[in-house]
Amino acid sequence: MLMGEYSYAIDEKGRLGFPPKFREEMGGTFIVTRWLDDCLIAFSSGEWERVSALLSEKSMVKSRDVQRFLYSGATEAVPDKQGRILLPANLRRHAGLEKDVTVIGVGNHAEIWDARAWQEKNECLRGGPIAAIMEELEF
């Protein structure tokens, strides 16, 4: 299970350190793509296959925009010897990633956020809506 919050900086070549615990759990190669809330999402290969299978079970007409959104931005991430992954420019632009980045664990996937955007999102969550969402989920 992926959990925790880690701070990194993107280097001039677009490489980002990825948490060692996450690399262990996600395996040697994993998938990074665009996600909601202007962040990126990282799936292990197995989880990506599960998501792909779910999408393929749906009507192609109904799921086409989701497929376009996820697949067109997807890239295989292969950590180098220092544990860095290369984030293509189009993905960095999507998430507004320039320098300071926060990588968070969200159970079966990780999210990659601009550090300031994550701080703002986290503050917003603590501001009240999370309690209503938890109640709606009968948590």
Side-chain angles (χ1 to χ4, degrees), residues 28-124:
T29 301
F30 50 92
I31 306 300
V32 177
T33 192
R34 296 180 291 196
W35 195 235
L36 308 174
D37 300 318
D38 297 326
C39 69
L40 303 179
I41 191 167
F43 292 110
S44 67
S45 294
E47 190 63 21
W48 180 251
E49 288 174 18
R50 188 185 74 73
V51 168
S52 295
L54 282 173
L55 286 171
S56 70
E57 292 171 3
K58 305 299 179 194
S59 160
M60 201 164 151
V61 172
K62 289 183 179 180
S63 68
R64 70 185 184 273
D65 285 339
V66 173
Q67 290 184 41
R68 289 171 181 151
F69 181 75
L70 293 177
Y71 292 128
S72 67
T75 188
E76 284 189 338
V78 182
D80 64 14
K81 292 178 183 176
Q82 287 78 37
R84 300 171 300 191
I85 60 170
L86 179 63
L87 295 176
N90 64 319
L91 291 180
R92 294 193 312 267
R93 275 192 306 276
H94 169 80
L97 305 178
E98 293 181 16
K99 184 75 175 161
D100 296 323
V101 172
T102 302
V103 181
I104 63 169
V106 191
N108 64 352
H109 65 273
E111 292 179 354
I112 302 168
W113 287 79
D114 169 75
R116 176 168 280 174
W118 170 244
Q119 185 177 20
E120 290 170 5
K121 180 67 169 179
N122 206 16
E123 290 296 323
C124 178

